Amino acid sequence: MTQDTLVRPVAQSPPPPPRRRRTPSFRRQGGAAHVFLLPFLLGLVLITAVPLLASLYLSFTDYDLLHDPELVGLDNFRRMVEDERFWASVGVTLWYVLVSVPLQLGFALLLAVLLDKGMRGLALYRSAFYLPSLLGSSVAVAILWRQLFGHEGLVNSLLGWFGVEGESWLQNPDTALSTLVVLNVWTFGSPMIIFLAGLRQIPEELYEAARVDGAGRVRQFWSVTVPLLTPIVFFNLVLQTIGAFQAFTQAHIISGGQGGPLDSTLFYTLYLYQQGFQSFNMGYASAMAWVLLLVIALVTAGHFLLSRYWVFYGDER
Amino acid sequence: MRAGVRHVVMCAFVLVMIYPLIWMVASSFKPGNLVLSEPGLIPSEVTFQNYRDGWNALDEPFSLFFLNSLMVSVGSIVGNLVSCSLAAYALARLEFRGRRLYFAITLVSVMLPLHVLVVPQYIFFSQLGMVNTYFPLLLPKFLATDAFFTFLMVQFIRTIPRELDAAAWVDGAGPFRTFWSIILPLMTPALVTSAIFTFIWTWNDFFTPLIYLTSTEMFTVPVALNSMMSSETSSGVGALFAMSLLSLLPIIVFFVTAQKYLIRGISTTGLK
């Protein structure tokens, strides 16, 4: 070791250093910490904080990237209220969140429970179910989906075997969005794996006790599994909801960037992209982004508030 | 007996889920006119024409797009590993004012939608003349803005016994030495998990390159696929399928080789 080792008295206290008195070691750590944090702090300022404030400012302006931003007060927000496409995108996104997230989590929970109990080949099934989660957000799979549900796609060919005349799912405003819901449900593997990890945490004794009390499989599921799994359900729900609000790639690819037919797949972020990066209405896009941020924050806060009534933590009475 | 039934149900389920992917593989080897008219898996005629057509469907060959994607992905991995591990070590181990605040910010920014930042970021990069370069894609990674990984690494470092730091301290190691020789080697699993997810996310990312990359020779694979799709090239669906499949291969390879880390990473943190 270095000479320093020999000189340093052994009695000198190792970390954590005393909190009250600011010893030299404390100061040195503070300095070192900021060296470690340098990229983080730069990112926080340049990539997050300043853009966040700038977009708040821009949301009150008219800005086309060529001329200086012009303050217009609440005009962007007023325009939203009257913008039919804006409301279409809100409707599409809410519908998508409300339908696809519960369906996806339902499948995830069902399959996790079926896979849990010492099933042979668990690893293999787990992998097969998980793979779509990794691929689901890619352009390639969105392209695949476009063909699956196209007029001459696989889905219609299969329906044809049963004598059902399929329609063009993507050209029909009533069904186009559903194909994207199916795509999201298809990626249930990642919440499923989180459920599986949660199921592992439930003590076997609880099931034994339930069996002694004469509870059947179904009863055990509702009285033991579900209550003890609610924190994991909550975690998945919050994450998947936030993710679903921000869906973009699949809708962009399936509709060729248009959000059609008749705006039926015009996701909120897709409309935001059109406004900001195709029409260069940067002010309007910023205002839309802030509405999205507020909605996500409110929904997440709502989840946390409601969680008191249904999420069960084992250490509570 | 009951187990047998369960396996049958599971296998059927797996088949339904995986069938579209298998169909895509099969279709990519079918002659152009049969791709859509033949729903079956076994092509009546096997051809590699789709791959040849797809490879050259745009102004630049797909090899270039793969190379671009690879550069961006590897750059992102390096950026995330370096910047997030540095920040995580400070947040998990060092005493300084504002530590709790920074950690709270990290947690909150995990939930922050990208869209609320992207307009000013675009203006920022465009005024620096960096549109149509990889800077807007890479710079944020070197500045620890993927908060999820910082969080993951902080949680991991917290599981490493503090006695090791204390021992290093007694031996005269400062924070840098301790980080480099003690903590960093011990956090390999967290680094591997972060690297794999960074790769998959960056490889799949469409939104950011779509906004920043304007000329074909800069395209990453997803943007190239999008452009190939919307330009309705004469090569058709078969070629599009062929290139789409090739674009999925790196992820599938990663998945097969690094499954253990992927599953562990996702069960502990909820990463997608």
Side-chain angles (χ1 to χ4, degrees), chain A residues 49-59 286 290, chain B residues 120:
Chain A
V50 170
L52 195 65
L53 293 175
S55 86
L56 184 62
Y57 168 72
L58 285 174
S59 69
S286 301
W290 268 88

Side-chain angles (χ1 to χ4, degrees), chain B:
Chain B
M1 178 58 203
R2 294 187 60 154
V5 172
R6 211 154 61 156
H7 277 293
V8 171
V9 172
M10 284 293 166
C11 286
F13 208 87
V14 169
L15 193 68
V16 169
M17 283 198 58
I18 303 298
Y19 192 86
L21 291 171
I22 305 173
W23 178 70
M24 197 182 196
V25 176
S27 301
S28 73
F29 292 107
K30 291 173 189 170
N33 55 332
L34 292 179
V35 171
L36 289 178
S37 54
E38 250 190 16
L41 288 185
I42 320 268
S44 55
E45 196 186 326
V46 174
T47 170
F48 289 93
Q49 194 59 38
N50 289 326
Y51 286 86
R52 259 173 255 140
D53 289 348
W55 199 261
N56 296 307
L58 296 176
D59 296 340
E60 309 283 344
F62 254 78
S63 46
L64 181 68
F65 307 136
F66 276 99
L67 198 67
N68 291 344
S69 271
L70 189 69
M71 283 195 305
V72 172
S73 301
V74 171
S76 299
I77 291 174
V78 173
N80 269 347
L81 290 194
V82 171
S83 65
C84 294
S85 67
L86 287 173
Y89 173 71
L91 291 175
R93 280 294 207 260
L94 299 180
E95 296 285 339
F96 59 94
R97 222 185 288 181
R99 177 165 101 144
R100 274 164 194 278
L101 177 71
Y102 292 149
F103 189 63
I105 290 174
T106 306
L107 278 183
V108 171
S109 53
V110 172
M111 296 186 204
L112 197 67
L114 164 73
H115 311 87
V116 83
L117 306 174
V118 73
V119 167
Q121 281 177 4
Y122 180 84
I123 296 166
F124 173 69
F125 284 118
S126 114
Q127 278 173 355
L128 291 174
M130 287 178 175
V131 168
N132 205 28
T133 71
Y134 296 136
F135 270 98
L137 279 59
L138 289 177
L139 188 68
K141 311 287 180 186
F142 279 87
L143 299 181
T145 51
D146 275 353
F148 226 133
F149 297 119
T150 310
F151 174 67
L152 184 150
M153 291 182 199
V154 167
Q155 297 302 83
F156 193 87
I157 293 174
R158 284 180 174 166
T159 66
I160 300 173
R162 270 187 183 265
E163 285 76 17
L164 289 174
D165 297 39
W169 181 267
V170 170
D171 281 350
F176 296 99
R177 201 51 202 281
T178 310
F179 170 69
W180 183 253
S181 331
I182 312 268
I183 301 294
L184 206 56
L186 285 174
M187 63 190 282
T188 311
L191 296 177
V192 173
T193 304
S194 304
I196 295 167
F197 277 102
T198 303
F199 179 82
I200 291 171
W201 287 353
T202 317
W203 189 267
N204 277 342
D205 186 24
F206 175 58
F207 188 65
T208 319
L210 178 71
I211 286 171
Y212 287 111
L213 305 178
T214 50
S215 64
T216 312
E217 78 263 15
M218 296 298 285
F219 280 1
T220 58
V221 175
V223 194
L225 285 174
N226 175 53
S227 155
M228 188 173 163
M229 188 191 76
S230 50
S231 65
E232 295 291 344
T233 47
S234 54
S235 37
V237 177
L240 197 54
F241 269 18
M243 292 306 107
S244 296
L245 259 178
L246 288 184
S247 81
L248 294 178
L249 276 185
I251 297 177
I252 294 174
V253 168
F254 252 85
F255 174 67
V256 171
T257 52
Q259 252 193 70
K260 204 175 59 181
Y261 286 104
L262 279 168
I263 304 273
R264 196 185 303 155
I266 202 168
S267 9
T268 51
T269 61
L271 292 167
K272 195 147 191 158

Side-chain angles (χ1 to χ4, degrees), chain A residues 147-150 153-160 169:
Chain A
Q147 299 307 325
L148 282 183
F149 289 94
L154 179 65
V155 171
N156 280 345
S157 306
L158 295 181
L159 285 176
W169 306 89

Side-chain angles (χ1 to χ4, degrees), chain A residues 18 23-24 44 49 56 61 83 114 121 172-173 189 193 218 220 227-228 252 262-263 268 276 284 289-290 294 316:
Chain A
T23 60
L44 187 62
L56 184 62
T61 67
D83 183 350
L114 287 178
N172 183 341
I193 283 181
V218 177
Q220 285 175 37
L228 287 177
H252 186 283
L262 292 178
D263 289 345
Y268 194 87
Y284 194 58
W290 268 88
L294 289 180
E316 278 172 18

